[in-house]
Amino acid sequence: MEVIGDLPRELFLEILLRLPAESLMRCKYVCKYWHSIITNPKFIQLHLNYNYNNNVCVLLKRCLVTCLGQKENLLSLVCGNGFSFVNLDVDLSLYRKEPCLQLLGHCDGIICLSNYRDYILLCNPATRESMLLPESRLPCYHSIRSLISQTTGLGFGYDAKSHCFKVVRIVSYWEELRGSNLPHFSRVEVYSTGTDSWKEINVTVPAHVRYSPCFETYFNGAFHWYAMDDNGNEVILSFNMGNEEFQVIPMPSFISKHDHSICSSLLVWNDCIALVIYPERGIEKSFEIFVMKEYGVKESWTNVLTIGPLTRVERPLVFRKNDEILMEGSHGQMMSYNLRNKEVKDLQIYGIPKSFSTLAYVNSLVSVEGGNQMLDQRDNTGYGSMDKRKETMSSMYRNDHKCESDEW
């Protein structure tokens, strides 16, 4: 059995896999051999798989008011059973100067942030690597002078076919004097880390993206928005990152025409999309949860649970594990609701009311520029059997053996 110091190689790998990315970023400078292991795409994938199955946290973005009365963003990680949280030190000029910065999505440790106007940013909070995307290829004006443009939809995800991260942007064109709530037409462009460029795609957008709190969700290789069709029916609009096509997913049967007194939020729960329906206003609110058990099939919507009525709760944020949901309180604090014992907890996490946005997040070494280098060998049932990990590690050692005794 080959050893590293006094440790067998397999045990050395198991230790490294359990370290957070922040520690591994320091460890890779110990010597050339460690650097070759930690930067190896196979190790990065094993580390990602391990965290997906053991260390999923909640990434929280909120706004605070400084002592000078200015608004500023704050990113935090909420981890552990005790709801401990740590504020992330993210040094981004865009992050600092844009208090209304939107947290668009997360995939493999990479998050996407945007001000929905002219800046879109990819960032790995663990490695502190970030990349500002190039300017859009779509003009902000149209040949028809009476039309004005607006970015109505942004989405972020991963294309398993090309092994690239992608951002999709929907630009809608409206009559300058709007007589209708629907745009005149829309255009779509896609950014890929594989080419580091935007391209316009020739597709029809079958529904019109609208705002709904805590709705935009990446799931099953597609990004999802709240939308309305040409008949005014509420639907879910999805964009598949692989084939770059849109799909309209119908809402449950009892939801048809838009009702301004009702809110809808789309979350991921038990590996399914879950629709949470609740009143926009009220001292007490009840939250009905519908789960789509067969993705894309309207008839599979099932009303599985009603939470409440609860007081001091504004809206749902994210499911944490399978028996807990984090919610935003009406006065700008985070709360948790346990689905089993129906216990509500006030967490010591505060922000400006209605400024909270959350994502399920995993710590990773994945590069914002290197999505095309990933092996995409995700193991959803575990981070690989011991035999598989030994095989992977053996191939890493064969490739990196020449660096074993090298020092910086």
Side-chain angles (χ1 to χ4, degrees):
M1 177 184 296
E2 295 183 279
V3 297
I4 299 175
D6 296 328
L7 293 177
R9 293 187 188 274
E10 290 78 10
L11 181 56
F12 178 67
L13 173 65
E14 294 295 325
I15 293 174
L16 290 182
L17 289 176
R18 285 161 171 77
L19 292 178
E22 295 86 346
S23 298
L24 290 170
M25 290 294 290
R26 295 190 294 269
C27 288
K28 71 178 184 179
Y29 295 111
V30 171
C31 65
K32 291 183 179 179
Y33 180 54
W34 284 31
H35 185 277
S36 66
I37 292 177
I38 294 171
T39 58
N40 189 307
K42 294 180 180 179
F43 175 82
I44 293 174
Q45 187 68 65
L46 284 176
H47 182 262
L48 178 65
N49 290 345
Y50 177 84
N51 284 331
Y52 261 123
N53 290 279
N54 297 278
N55 295 318
V56 177
C57 299
V58 171
L59 180 69
L60 165 67
K61 191 199 80 71
R62 53 195 160 128
C63 283
L64 300 175
V65 178
T66 68
C67 58
L68 299 177
Q70 298 176 332
K71 294 180 180 179
E72 67 175 15
N73 294 297
L74 185 63
L75 282 177
S76 306
L77 280 182
V78 182
C79 304
N81 295 327
F83 298 101
S84 61
F85 71 97
V86 57
N87 296 328
L88 299 179
D89 182 17
V90 181
D91 186 17
L92 303 171
S93 57
L94 173 65
Y95 172 75
R96 288 178 174 176
K97 70 181 182 181
E98 288 283 353
C100 296
L101 201 62
Q102 300 294 312
L103 184 60
L104 294 181
H106 162 268
C107 188
D108 295 348
I110 308 298
I111 62 173
C112 185
L113 299 158
S114 177
N115 62 1
Y116 255 84
R117 296 192 307 274
D118 48 2
Y119 290 108
I120 304 175
L121 187 82
L122 300 184
C123 172
N124 184 328
T127 64
R128 299 187 181 183
E129 182 187 20
S130 63
M131 178 175 66
L132 188 64
L133 269 56
E135 291 185 8
S136 165
R137 296 173 62 94
L138 296 182
C140 58
Y141 58 89
H142 194 265
S143 56
I144 303 176
R145 293 187 177 183
S146 61
L147 294 180
I148 58 175
S149 66
Q150 180 182 4
T151 298
T152 53
L154 284 171
F156 171 66
Y158 183 73
D159 179 3
K161 294 181 180 179
S162 63
H163 308 304
C164 296
F165 295 109
K166 289 183 177 179
V167 177
V168 57
R169 179 171 181 250
I170 303 172
V171 178
S172 298
Y173 294 83
W174 309 74
E175 294 287 350
E176 192 167 4
L177 299 176
R178 297 185 184 182
S180 170
N181 290 327
L182 300 180
H184 194 64
F185 65 93
S186 297
R187 297 169 69 178
V188 181
E189 62 179 350
V190 175
Y191 169 85
S192 169
T193 55
T195 60
D196 189 30
S197 62
W198 292 93
K199 68 172 182 179
E200 184 174 1
I201 59 174
N202 185 22
V203 294
T204 299
V205 183
H208 310 286
V209 176
R210 296 294 182 89
Y211 171 77
S212 189
C214 301
F215 199 97
E216 298 178 356
T217 299
Y218 176 69
F219 173 74
N220 200 35
F223 199 86
H224 303 76
W225 301 269
Y226 170 79
M228 297 183 68
D229 64 17
D230 290 337
N231 297 318
N233 296 315
E234 295 182 69
V235 296
I236 299 170
L237 178 66
S238 72
F239 180 82
N240 187 289
M241 294 293 172
N243 59 28
E244 298 183 350
E245 293 180 353
F246 286 98
Q247 178 185 0
V248 171
I249 300 175
M251 295 279 200
S253 298
F254 77 93
I255 301 177
S256 54
K257 300 296 182 180
H258 180 61
D259 185 346
H260 290 280
S261 66
I262 300 297
C263 290
S264 303
S265 295
L266 192 69
L267 310 178
V268 177
W269 185 31
N270 290 329
D271 295 324
C272 296
I273 56 172
L275 188 67
V276 185
I277 308 296
Y278 54 99
E280 182 181 12
R281 293 184 174 88
I283 298 176
E284 288 188 335
K285 292 185 178 182
S286 294
F287 301 83
E288 290 190 78
I289 301 177
F290 295 79
V291 171
M292 178 171 271
K293 296 189 174 181
E294 187 176 351
Y295 181 77
V297 178
K298 179 179 181 179
E299 291 73 21
S300 70
W301 281 115
T302 305
N303 189 343
V304 295
L305 182 66
T306 298
I307 297 175
L310 302 176
T311 59
R312 302 184 300 109
V313 176
E314 182 68 28
R315 55 180 176 168
L317 292 173
V318 65
F319 280 99
R320 185 175 178 267
K321 302 180 180 179
N322 293 328
D323 59 355
E324 201 161 43
I325 184 171
L326 298 184
M327 313 181 89
E328 181 180 345
S330 54
H331 299 294
Q333 81 279 12
M334 182 173 278
M335 310 172 74
S336 73
Y337 178 85
N338 190 292
L339 303 179
R340 293 183 179 179
N341 58 28
K342 301 182 180 180
E343 181 182 5
V344 179
K345 288 183 180 179
D346 289 341
L347 308 181
Q348 301 301 309
I349 305 175
Y350 302 93
I352 296 175
K354 298 186 179 181
S355 72
F356 288 64
S357 57
T358 56
L359 295 168
Y361 171 82
V362 294
N363 184 279
S364 87
L365 293 165
V366 176
S367 170
V368 296
E369 298 178 351
N372 58 332
Q373 296 178 3
M374 295 297 292
L375 301 178
D376 200 41
Q377 296 175 346
R378 292 169 174 80
D379 184 348
N380 295 324
T381 60
Y383 67 106
S385 65
M386 180 62 75
D387 289 340
K388 183 185 295 185
R389 298 200 298 277
K390 285 183 179 179
E391 180 182 349
T392 301
M393 193 170 187
S394 296
S395 66
M396 290 166 52
Y397 288 148
R398 287 193 296 270
N399 294 334
D400 301 327
H401 184 72
K402 60 181 180 181
C403 300
E404 183 171 359
S405 60
D406 291 347
E407 297 179 355
W408 290 105

